[in-house]
Structures are given as structure tokens and as C-alpha cells.
Amino acid sequence: MNISEQLINIDKNPESNYVLHDRMENLFPYHLHQKGQLTYVEGGIAYLNTKDKAYFLPARHFIWIPPGLEHFVQQKNRSSIVRNLYFNMADIKSSPFYERMGIYPAPNLLLEMLLFTEDWSGEIRVDSFENQFLTTIKNLLPKISSHPLPIVLPTTNHEKMQPIINYIQDNLESPLHLDVISKNFGMSPRTFSRLFQATLETSFLQYLKLSRMIRAMEQLLQTNKTISEIAYESGYNSIATFSNTFYGLVNVRPSEFQKF
């Protein structure tokens, strides 16, 4: 089945749920569903990309994608198992959870329930046990998902900002100073700051901090580097400052996050 057919089949029957336990979602271009979507990446990390933001999805977290949100999922580890559940939303009770994109810690209960569905594939018949089970997962989500991960990296297709963003991402382990970078791109620091704020709706320093934190999270999960090594490569001379900044963003210490 090709990509276009798969996308059509997900929404073909509005009353059904749908299961896709492979890396097909990673091959989809920007697209949207009429169904709500839960995505969990097992054994790796990924990004959810929308038109203006990139959301970091670390291990032991899942994404909730509300109906109608245009997106694509980018995996960093090609060997990862991706579990996608697509839910009929017609019967839901009103809840802010279902209306907002969010990345949440995945409790053991949810992981066990996702594992239980691993042999299911495609459209799930409305009158089946499998459908009842998936509906239970859907109804459970607001009760187990009260603290979304606040790691959102803004992005843009702005012609002048694209090379600047690429430069920053390629040099996160180096000292990066606004006045030096702005000069490298032929702008005054003031013009550079205004362009950053206008296109990304954040400051250069905040963007740099978030980018380095995301890189640190990747290294904590995928390398054997010590926390002090990662802190230093993230631009922090103090492990305590790095740990406190990390905790302020993620609500866990780097040492705990490394165990995910």
C-alpha cells in the first residue's frame, strides 16, 4: 500500500479507529487527519514538525495530535518502533486535552496498553473488542496527561532566517554570540534581534537555550557522555546551573532523564 492510500484509509471510515505500528508515519509529507492521533516512538527520539514549530519527542513520551493539525513526524533513529493510534473523535466528552497538541510522559499503564495492541493493524471494526479497548485508551488520556513537556523550538521558512538557523544548529557546541553572528550575516545586532523576534517570536538567547537543551536531551538518551561533558558542550560551565535550567524546562533532573 502506498503513502497516499494509507493516508486515505486512516480517515476513510469516520466512525472507526485505526492502528499503524510501523514507520509509515515517518514517510508521510505534511498532512492532517480527521481523527485524533497518538504517536509513541519506542527506542528512539523524534520530532513533530508543524508549519511553524518543531516539537521534541524524547523517550518515554507520547505525542497527542488533535484532528486537523497539519504535521509530519521525523524520527532520529531509523530502527525505532513507532506506534500510531488514530481515534474517532465523534463520541468524546469536552476536554481541553483533545483540542491541543501536546507531548506527555507515558506512564507504565499506557505503555502496557500500547504493547497489547502491537498485533493490530489497519482499520478496527466498530463492533469489536479491539475498538472498545482503543476507546478506553482514548478516554484515559486526559486523566494521565496533565503535564505536557514544554520544549517547543520555533522554526520558519523565512529566506533570511533559514541560513541563520542552520548555522546555529550546526555550531551549538561552540560559543555563539549575537554580535558575532549578526556581523557574519551582514546585519547590525539590533536588526538581527528584530528579525529573530519577528520571524520566530522569540529572542536569540531563548532560541539558543532551547536548542542547546534539546541537543542535551538527545545526548542524555543516545550517548554515554557524562552529565558534566554534556553540560560543558551545551555552553554551561556549571553543572548546577545546567541541572537547574534543565529541571526548569523538563521538570526532572538530567540524571533522572538519562534513565528513560
Side-chain angles (χ1 to χ4, degrees):
M1 186 181 299
N2 63 39
I3 294 172
S4 297
E5 290 174 335
Q6 190 71 267
L7 282 171
I8 291 171
N9 283 341
I10 289 171
D11 280 335
K12 189 174 183 179
N13 184 353
E15 297 181 356
S16 69
N17 295 314
Y18 201 91
V19 176
L20 188 61
H21 286 317
D22 60 27
R23 292 187 292 275
M24 180 68 75
E25 177 76 28
N26 192 52
L27 302 177
F28 292 158
Y30 272 113
H31 64 285
L32 54 84
H33 313 292
Q34 298 308 311
K35 291 180 167 67
Q37 176 181 342
L38 181 156
T39 291
Y40 178 77
V41 180
E42 192 171 290
I45 58 179
Y47 286 88
L48 172 74
N49 295 276
T50 64
K51 289 297 187 180
D52 59 352
K53 292 182 175 64
Y55 299 85
F56 178 64
L57 177 64
R60 297 278 300 194
H61 288 70
F62 71 91
I63 312 172
W64 172 256
I65 304 172
L69 177 65
E70 196 170 9
H71 67 279
F72 80 90
V73 176
Q74 176 187 12
Q75 293 164 235
K76 301 287 284 188
N77 184 343
R78 297 294 296 174
S79 63
S80 303
I81 299 172
V82 182
R83 306 196 182 278
N84 298 294
L85 306 182
Y86 303 88
F87 298 104
N88 160 33
M89 304 302 291
D91 62 344
I92 64 167
K93 296 179 180 179
S94 178
S95 170
F97 170 84
Y98 297 115
E99 300 169 2
R100 296 193 298 258
M101 200 292 306
I103 295 174
Y104 301 90
N108 289 334
L109 173 61
L110 178 61
L111 297 181
E112 290 294 331
M113 295 178 83
L114 291 176
L115 186 62
F116 188 78
T117 71
E118 68 176 347
D119 293 329
W120 306 351
S121 180
E123 184 179 347
I124 305 301
R125 290 189 300 108
V126 175
D127 60 349
S128 65
F129 162 78
E130 289 84 356
N131 184 71
Q132 294 177 4
F133 189 86
L134 291 173
T135 299
T136 299
I137 293 178
K138 178 179 65 178
N139 293 336
L140 182 66
L141 291 177
K143 300 182 182 300
I144 62 173
S145 310
S146 56
H147 300 292
L149 187 70
I151 300 294
V152 182
L153 194 65
T155 187
T156 179
N157 292 322
H158 192 280
E159 185 178 353
K160 287 187 177 180
M161 280 302 300
Q162 275 296 314
I164 296 172
I165 288 176
N166 292 338
Y167 178 83
I168 292 172
Q169 293 298 323
D170 290 341
N171 294 277
L172 286 174
E173 296 178 4
S174 304
L176 293 172
H177 302 288
L178 186 150
D179 55 344
V180 176
I181 298 177
S182 60
K183 184 178 180 180
N184 288 345
F185 286 92
M187 285 180 270
S188 69
R190 184 170 182 175
T191 299
F192 181 86
S193 295
R194 285 179 172 176
L195 180 63
F196 232 95
Q197 192 67 48
T199 56
L200 298 181
E201 297 183 351
T202 191
S203 69
F204 165 76
L205 290 178
Q206 180 66 8
Y207 180 86
L208 182 60
K209 181 174 78 170
L210 284 172
S211 295
R212 283 175 165 164
M213 279 294 122
I214 288 173
R215 180 66 58 83
M217 292 167 79
E218 290 182 349
Q219 291 182 329
L220 285 166
L221 294 173
Q222 293 192 321
T223 74
N224 294 319
K225 293 179 180 178
T226 65
I227 292 175
S228 60
E229 288 174 325
I230 293 171
Y232 179 77
E233 291 177 3
S234 300
Y236 290 86
N237 293 324
S238 164
I239 298 177
T241 301
F242 170 74
S243 180
N244 290 337
T245 303
F246 191 97
Y247 183 83
L249 287 171
V250 187
N251 294 321
V252 296
R253 295 291 177 184
S255 56
E256 291 299 313
F257 187 85
Q258 201 170 34
K259 298 174 183 177
F260 286 168

